[in-house]
Amino acid sequence: MNIKLIAILFPALLISFFIYSCKKEEDNLLEDMVYLDKSYIETLLDIRNNQNIKQSIERFMIDWNSFKKKYYNINEEDPQWKTDFDTLRDILISSHYYIVRGEDEGAGYLIFHDIKYVLSDLRKRNNVNWFFDNLNAIYKLSFRLGELSKVYSVGNVFITPEEKEKLITVYNLLNLAIENTTNEFDKSNIYLLKLNQARFEAIRHNINVINNLGQSIEREIAADNFKNITDICNNILNIYFNTLQIMK
């Protein structure tokens, strides 16, 4: 009887252990990605504030190389997985060249910004809902909308129906990103940042302010008043960086 019971239970135990091992590996990946993101955020802020740039980039490169060594070969089924790792390596090399060697610091900073989108792609393919990725979607679309509307911020510049439609399309994507970040706030693994309650609530407050600014953009578009949109988008970008400061 005992032998038969063991024969029945043993496969179930193996399956349970396999599921536990996969879950543990997934948790380790996410925790290590959070650590990498915090290292990236620190470097991003150092570049923005023009302080300790060379040391900060090189520190992040060390953290990235450790992450790559650990995870580069874990997803053989997805060829894009290694491609993203290689892409990020190339971005780091280019950014380091432009910023540290003084070739074109502005270009280097823009290149370094692209790292967050590569890391986001890595997570999306593992079905990871991560607060920083949601926040970065807001940054990307706010920046794009601000650039599109910049020409209308000075004087009475006529906007064509096609240009207005393009602005509305980008705004709708931005609004969707804001809604997603707001609705997913408590479900986006933000607890992994290990923030105290005051910092946690400060981030929540920032997201609510961004949501209000998004509604302001909607009202400006509805009133055919495009001259203030760039300033509103810049306010969103400033809040984005303030949120990063809280997260680091």
Side-chain angles (χ1 to χ4, degrees):
M1 184 69 178
N2 287 339
I3 294 175
K4 288 183 178 180
L5 184 61
I6 291 172
I8 293 170
L9 290 178
F10 186 67
L13 288 171
L14 280 179
I15 293 171
S16 298
F17 179 75
F18 176 75
I19 293 172
Y20 171 79
S21 299
C22 291
K23 180 68 168 60
K24 185 67 176 174
E25 185 177 86
E26 181 180 315
D27 289 345
N28 289 340
L29 172 62
L30 183 54
E31 288 175 2
D32 287 343
M33 277 192 160
V34 171
Y35 176 84
L36 187 68
D37 271 330
K38 294 188 83 167
S39 176
Y40 170 70
I41 287 169
E42 187 173 345
T43 302
L44 201 63
L45 292 171
D46 284 342
I47 294 172
R48 178 175 169 83
N49 297 327
N50 197 28
Q51 61 183 26
N52 305 318
I53 293 176
K54 182 176 183 294
Q55 299 92 322
S56 191
I57 290 177
E58 290 174 352
R59 174 192 46 74
F60 176 73
M61 291 175 80
I62 291 171
D63 290 338
W64 163 249
N65 286 330
S66 297
F67 181 85
K68 180 180 179 182
K69 183 178 181 180
K70 185 174 182 180
Y71 291 106
Y72 186 74
N73 293 309
I74 69 162
N75 194 351
E76 298 290 349
E77 295 179 359
D78 180 9
Q80 187 62 37
W81 177 265
K82 288 186 177 181
T83 299
D84 283 341
F85 275 80
D86 295 336
T87 298
L88 202 149
R89 176 202 61 205
D90 294 340
I91 290 173
L92 268 175
I93 292 171
S94 297
S95 179
H96 185 270
Y97 177 81
Y98 282 116
I99 295 173
V100 176
R101 297 193 181 185
E103 292 291 329
D104 187 339
E105 293 186 9
Y109 180 56
L110 289 174
I111 291 169
F112 195 81
H113 258 290
D114 289 341
I115 289 172
K116 57 178 171 280
Y117 305 124
V118 180
L119 292 174
S120 176
D121 286 342
L122 283 170
R123 282 185 282 266
K124 284 176 182 175
R125 274 195 296 282
N126 282 269
N127 298 315
V128 173
N129 183 4
W130 175 220
F131 172 74
F132 189 40
D133 295 336
N134 298 337
L135 190 64
N136 287 332
I138 292 175
Y139 171 88
K140 185 176 184 178
L141 291 162
S142 295
F143 182 84
R144 185 178 175 193
L145 185 61
E147 289 296 303
L148 280 174
S149 59
K150 192 176 290 183
V151 67
Y152 312 111
S153 63
V154 181
N156 297 316
V157 179
F158 176 76
I159 182 170
T160 67
E162 293 78 14
E163 290 169 337
K164 182 178 179 180
E165 185 63 30
K166 191 172 183 180
L167 276 174
I168 292 173
T169 298
V170 177
Y171 166 72
N172 287 336
L173 291 172
L174 172 61
N175 186 53
L176 187 63
I178 293 173
E179 286 182 357
N180 184 57
T181 304
T182 303
N183 295 336
E184 296 290 321
F185 185 82
D186 293 311
K187 298 178 284 185
S188 58
N189 292 300
I190 194 171
Y191 68 91
L192 289 169
L193 289 170
K194 297 180 172 61
L195 302 174
N196 61 35
Q197 191 63 28
R199 285 175 176 261
F200 183 82
E201 292 303 328
I203 292 177
R204 189 193 295 276
H205 170 76
N206 280 1
I207 299 305
N208 289 333
V209 173
I210 288 174
N211 186 46
N212 292 336
L213 289 171
Q215 292 173 12
S216 297
I217 295 174
E218 183 179 23
R219 289 193 292 270
E220 295 291 322
I221 292 175
D224 284 334
N225 183 17
F226 306 100
K227 64 180 182 180
N228 296 323
I229 293 177
T230 297
D231 288 339
I232 297 173
C233 287
N234 285 337
N235 286 337
I236 292 176
L237 297 181
N238 287 333
I239 294 170
Y240 167 86
F241 282 108
N242 177 260
T243 304
L244 296 193
Q245 188 69 46
I246 297 169
M247 289 170 62
K248 64 175 280 194

